[in-house]
Amino acid sequence: MNDWPEGWTDDDRSGNRYGQGSASDRPESARSMPHVQRPVPQQPARPRQRPAPPRQRPVPQQPGGYDDGGPQYDSGYNTGQVYGGGHGGRGPGHGGGPGDGGYVQGRPAAAPDWRRRIKIGALTLVVVVLAVSIGTYFWADSKLKREVDLSKVIERPAGGDGTNYLIVGSDSREGMTAEDKKKLHTGSAEGKRTDSMMILHDGSNGPTLVSLPRDSNVEIPSFVGSESGKKYPGTGRTTKLNAAYATDGPELLVRTVEFNTGLHIDHYVEIGFGGFAQIVDAIGGVELDIPKAFKDKNSGADFQAGKQTLNGEQSLAFVRTRYAFAASDLDRTKNQQKFLAALANQTATASTILNPFKLYPTMGAGLDTLIVDKDMSLWDLGQMFFAMKGVTGGDGKSMNMPISGSVGGNLVWDKAKVKQLVEQLNNDEKVTVTSN
């Protein structure tokens, strides 16, 4: 039996007639094709993985590759891939950006915004400076002793242009120990008296400093007692100017100065012995050029001629000395003017104002011992201080109250010159009056 399909012969079985048709007169029928085993194509070589660029740590193999035997998922990095330390190529903030230590391949990290940083720094500095300045202002303002009530002064002259300060140096020993009194040669007298008096006019034509000798012969006018409130009528009595202070304190002294000059006093400032010496020591001393050597056992002064730096003790001796000079109190007032102007000039410097280790001790020493009127502000005090500095800066003038002679040992003012001086000050004109 032929096992081959109909129309096939043994020749077909040999394979010689494959694809050559059939010997039968019938068309060649369909037949099943034998299975042809095709050779397995050779597995192409895997592409070499692109090496990661140098960085902090290698990127781990990405998940999702084929099983063994098949091509693996290419984990090469595409352009623009973000690299960075941390999880999955991202920084601690999982942002992968320049802000968390990463960078973008193909472009540099963003440059710092210096303009913004400078603005923030400048704003911070301004806020700090304002806070310190405001705090310092209120601290200093709270230390002022506003103890003098000028509203108690009666029959006052009209005010003029500019501002007039009555500056008083008292021999108050308040707060001083026995050792301090001995060291500063102040003695131990009870109470306090005026040791120096000056009028400082601050106006548009520069400051003018006028010393009032303590031995000036003046009339004590009617006044209202600062403590009793009782009115005391004037009797025409004349006496030394410093007696007014000894009688009823600052209010009567202001009343007496206004009555005898006709000049309105806007503010009152007083400082004692101890505070004066402390201010000088706080700024490290005051440099002064002393033209002629002098010595005085009463004040403790002992100075050689020439330029030198005076400490607190020496400074107090310098401004208190009068017995060593021929003109006594008049020469002393000139030294007081010279010293106070030098003190103001050397205190209002950048090395003091910008140095908190000098500024605060200086302000503390001065403000602790200053006595001012109730309407005196820290701004007014600053204006007075810089006006005092201007006296030696070439913008101002210093002089004694014009003197015409003496009576009973007291100095008599030249009434005509005093009247002219007051008119010039009230009108804020340039002072042309001289002491002589």
Side-chain angles (χ1 to χ4, degrees), residues 11-138:
D11 292 335
D12 295 322
R13 183 173 56 184
S14 66
N16 294 330
R17 293 191 50 90
Y18 178 73
Q20 299 180 6
S22 171
S24 171
D25 57 353
R26 292 181 299 171
E28 187 176 4
S29 59
R31 61 184 181 271
S32 60
M33 297 298 292
H35 174 72
V36 180
Q37 180 70 33
R38 298 183 182 275
V40 177
Q42 186 176 359
Q43 180 72 26
R46 297 180 183 176
R48 296 183 62 185
Q49 191 170 9
R50 184 185 308 166
R55 53 183 305 281
Q56 297 172 338
R57 52 186 294 185
V59 177
Q61 179 67 38
Q62 301 292 331
Y66 296 104
D67 294 336
D68 292 339
Q72 297 293 319
Y73 174 78
D74 186 357
S75 59
Y77 307 126
N78 297 325
T79 302
Q81 175 69 38
V82 177
Y83 301 95
H87 305 288
R90 296 180 295 174
H94 305 292
D100 56 19
Y103 65 92
V104 177
Q105 184 179 6
R107 67 183 183 195
D113 189 350
W114 288 109
R115 182 176 298 179
R116 181 172 178 270
R117 293 185 181 185
I118 291 173
K119 287 182 178 179
I120 293 175
L123 180 60
T124 302
L125 179 61
V126 169
V127 171
V128 171
V129 171
L130 283 176
V132 172
S133 301
I134 293 172
T136 300
Y137 181 89
F138 283 105

Side-chain angles (χ1 to χ4, degrees), residues 200-285:
L200 174 64
H201 173 82
D202 185 20
S204 58
N205 278 293
T208 300
L209 186 63
V210 182
S211 287
L212 309 177
R214 58 180 287 180
D215 293 338
S216 297
N217 194 68
V218 295
E219 181 182 340
I220 302 296
S222 59
F223 67 96
V224 174
S226 58
E227 295 295 334
S228 65
K230 180 181 177 181
K231 185 172 182 178
Y232 296 88
T235 61
R237 178 175 67 99
T238 59
T239 185
K240 293 181 178 181
L241 180 60
N242 65 344
Y245 185 96
T247 301
D248 198 52
E251 287 84 1
L252 179 55
L253 177 61
V254 171
R255 166 73 173 133
T256 302
V257 169
E258 289 186 341
F259 178 82
N260 286 270
T261 63
L263 187 68
H264 180 88
I265 299 299
D266 297 292
H267 293 293
Y268 177 92
V269 181
E270 177 187 326
I271 187 169
F273 282 161
F276 181 82
Q278 289 173 20
I279 292 174
V280 174
D281 287 335
I283 66 170

Side-chain angles (χ1 to χ4, degrees), residues 356-380:
F357 297 102
K358 290 184 68 175
L359 175 63
Y360 287 100
T362 302
M363 292 180 65
L367 296 174
D368 280 340
T369 55
L370 281 181
I371 296 175
V372 300
D373 64 270
K374 293 184 180 296
D375 294 328
M376 184 78 151
S377 69
L378 196 62
W379 175 260
D380 295 324

